[in-house]
Amino acid sequence: MATIRFKALEALMSRQVFSVDTPSKKTSEYFGENVFDQKKMRVYLSREAYDTVIDAIENGTRIPRRVADQVSSGMKAWSIDKGVTHYTHWFHPLTGTTAEKHDAFFEPAGNDGVIESFDGARLVQQEPDASSFPSGGLRNTFEARGYTAWDPSSPAFIFDKTLCIPTIFVAYTGEALDYKTPLLKTLSVLNDAAVDVCQYFDKNVSKVQVMLGWEQEYFLVDTALYIARPDLMLTGRTLMGHASAKDQQLEDHYFGTIPSRVSAFMRDFEIEAYKLGIPIKTRHNEVAPNQFECAPVFEEANLAVDHNMLLMDLMKKVSRRHNFKVLFHEKPFKGVNGSGKHNNWSLATNTGVNLLSPGKNPKSNMQFLVFIINTIKAVQEHADLLRASIVSAGNEHRLGAAEAPPSIISVFIGSYLTKLLNELETRVTDEKMTPDEKTEIKLDIGRIPELLLDNTDRNRTSPFAFTGNRFEFRAVGSNENCASPMTFLSLAVAEQLKQFKVEVDTKIEDGIKKDEAIFQVIKNYIKASKNILFDGNGYGEEWAKEAEIRGLTNVKSTVKALESLVSVKSKDLCVKHGIFSEREMEARHDIRVSHYTKKIQIESRVMGDLATNHIIPTVYKYQNQLIENVRGLKQVLDSKDFEQIAGIQLQTIKEISGRIALIKIKVKNMVEARKKANAVEDIHEKARLYAEEVKPYQSEIRYHIDHLEMVVDNEIWPLPKYRELLFAR
Ligand code: ADP
Ligand code: MG
């Protein structure tokens, strides 16, 4: 009987490239057709309602109930015109995925049968029975009410014939239960702080927005192979599998020709994405075989976060049509590249200026430097919190694994800026500067080239890199909601900008001219934040050593890194700006820690099951074959020949028996370790035990299984092998 693995391979061989119905229209003609955007609002809303919504989007003003009624009926009319039957509030609970609960538009209407109905009250607020979402104890099940509230700054859209309304999700006591609430609050804090600083340079700036361009990496695996791998199905990654003889060592996959089955899938989800207004621009093969990337044009951060979550859902959905499974796990395969989600972050003003882009004159360049230096300082101040924002059970396998940014947070700014900052530091004096000195400094600053894209040494090993007109936060994992890193990064920068303004204003009050005050504060910041700047190889051992000397933290353990979510420093930061209460932060910490524990628990169970039900029985079969063979040899050979020939076979039998015994013992010990951890009440201690006592068994057990894979008859090996998972398509 063929194993499930061979059935899967057979299925794969009969796959055909799914033909995609490419719209005959140009992309621009159908882009956003499933979004209730400004164009549709103009058609479906009254002038008053339209203006009110635009004002709410642009300035965060409240939408009165009367107007909400108009908007809801406009949305309803538009979506019913498009064949929509249901609506839902769409939100980002702390599960890490998106949530929706659909309601039909129709309402019984007495003698008239049913009518389609959707009023302002239902648009603005819903009360999903949300008792099963993680709340970290913020919401007891007996007071399970949480509510979702409309976020007009992200437009409603149609997904699967359902009108989806982006919302935030909070407990009835007001505590945030989602990713979006703190993000929206932070964006507003940063706006205020950045506008204030911009006022030193340009009085016309009244709004500063965070821009985010994410790069989504993922793997594709054929559905049949995926189903034959219970570890992939249940944990998102392979818990075992010997390296393929060939994987990425020839460096032939990155930017290679996209296989036609894959490009059909890409084309298909891109078309759907365009209809949803997601501006996917770039697609290419990534470093590992069967690994790919897509990236949109950057957008305002809140919208970009929604678009990323929506695209991940969309990719999962569309992949079914192509018999693919999309893997968003940070490290689905050992030994080849993992997947990240670079978060390209910048600040844009209402006057059309990118504050992280050098300008055309000394004044705008000065502004550019102020924002660059404050960002560096913010990252230095809150490096631990930034790390905490991106660690997870999945990302743990990726960070620091000589392919992804290390768990040391540092900043790369390239040789040009490094030199410039060094010069500034030495030139600016704390005493009153002569007009000549000032002119010289301004001349230096005026010379910053408009295009700083330092392509020659774009450092791929840095977790946080300046890439010419934006910072790239590269440590973010492929499966993460960008809202978390975007919140903490933006908040750290907001706090830093506020501090900057206080320091500059104090100097101005002391009679120092504005320019000079700015120079002096900047100089101090350059000095103070030097230790976080690093342009070298972040993967090297030397860097770990040097970072230690510099006093930078290097936290490899997820559980340990998460502690920074509730450090005094982090709490001060978040509470001060009204982003979280202490209780909310503790709740979030608890949720992340428990999530980690559960992930390791599931992995460890799957490991035990696979070892016991898949691997060991298969190995016994093979062992029996060998034993049978030895018996046969004994019959046909004389004793001298037998000893020589069967000796090698007996060695194999012994090796196999030894490994089986070790696997069995280790699985048993792993179960014991789990029991011990499970008995612990305190969730933090439990997580520590899972990380330190349970998790290590995974690689120990795997080690023997992977060796057995190399010995046992290929015909009976039950799990699709790495070469099949990585190359078959
Ligand atoms: P690379 O892989 O070379 O870093 P990609 O083209 O894959 O570049 O992705 C770059 C991402 O950065 C895109 O999403 C792009 O829109 C985004 N980006 C470019 N400029 C900015 C900016 N000023 N602010 C934020 N994101 C930006
Ligand atoms: Mg890229």
Side-chain angles (χ1 to χ4, degrees), residues 344-566:
N344 293 269
W345 177 94
S346 68
L347 299 170
T349 67
N350 59 310
T351 53
V353 170
N354 173 0
L355 294 169
L356 298 182
S357 196
K360 289 195 174 63
N361 54 51
K363 198 162 143 192
S364 53
N365 277 347
M366 195 57 216
Q367 178 174 268
F368 158 75
L369 280 178
V370 162
F371 279 91
I372 290 282
I373 291 165
N374 272 290
T375 306
I376 296 170
K377 181 102 188 319
V379 172
Q380 184 212 31
E381 281 294 323
H382 296 286
D384 289 337
L385 181 57
L386 289 180
R387 185 192 300 106
S389 77
I390 52 97
V391 292
S392 66
N395 219 3
E396 197 171 46
H397 295 281
R398 178 179 161 258
L399 296 182
E403 49 147 301
S407 32
I408 309 162
I409 301 282
S410 65
V411 182
F412 167 90
I413 56 170
S415 49
Y416 187 93
L417 279 182
T418 308
K419 198 163 142 265
L420 183 74
L421 298 196
N422 286 339
E423 270 165 24
L424 270 181
E425 191 195 339
T426 47
R427 278 184 189 230
V428 177
T429 57
D430 292 331
E431 289 91 56
K432 211 165 162 39
M433 278 184 264
T434 65
D436 277 358
E437 279 172 332
K438 272 198 256 181
T439 311
E440 268 195 46
I441 292 171
K442 282 188 186 161
L443 272 176
D444 269 357
I445 292 172
R447 278 191 214 109
I448 303 177
E450 226 182 296
L451 263 184
L452 257 184
L453 292 169
D454 205 343
N455 275 317
T456 46
D457 59 354
R458 277 188 62 177
N459 189 324
R460 286 278 156 193
T461 67
S462 175
F464 198 81
F466 180 69
T467 50
N469 58 3
R470 61 195 190 260
F471 278 100
E472 227 176 297
F473 194 6
R474 301 210 181 103
V476 185
S478 48
N479 204 17
E480 287 306 299
N481 188 322
C482 310
S484 166
M486 286 297 98
T487 298
F488 291 117
L489 170 61
S490 305
L491 184 60
V493 173
E495 161 66 15
Q496 184 52 55
L497 290 171
K498 288 202 180 209
Q499 212 171 306
F500 172 77
K501 179 158 167 51
V502 170
E503 287 181 50
V504 171
D505 285 353
T506 312
K507 283 189 188 282
I508 294 174
E509 277 160 30
D510 289 347
I512 300 177
K513 280 237 169 69
K514 185 179 80 184
D515 280 357
E516 204 168 327
I518 292 175
F519 284 147
Q520 288 181 1
V521 177
I522 278 187
K523 175 194 163 166
N524 288 339
Y525 285 3
I526 294 174
K527 225 192 243 166
S529 54
K530 260 199 168 148
N531 72 339
I532 196 125
L533 296 182
F534 179 63
D535 285 10
N537 175 16
Y539 297 165
E541 244 322 290
E542 302 81 53
W543 170 229
K545 285 193 199 124
E546 190 188 325
E548 197 181 339
I549 295 168
R550 291 192 190 189
L552 299 180
T553 51
N554 180 4
V555 189
K556 295 205 171 97
S557 139
T558 299
V559 179
K560 198 101 209 95
L562 284 173
E563 284 171 12
S564 303
L565 283 179
V566 286

Side-chain angles (χ1 to χ4, degrees), residues 215 217 254-255 282 284 286 293 295 342 458 460 472:
E215 302 164 48
E217 294 182 337
Y254 191 61
F255 283 12
T282 306
H284 60 78
E286 257 304 325
E293 178 186 302
H342 296 178
R458 277 188 62 177
R460 286 278 156 193
E472 227 176 297

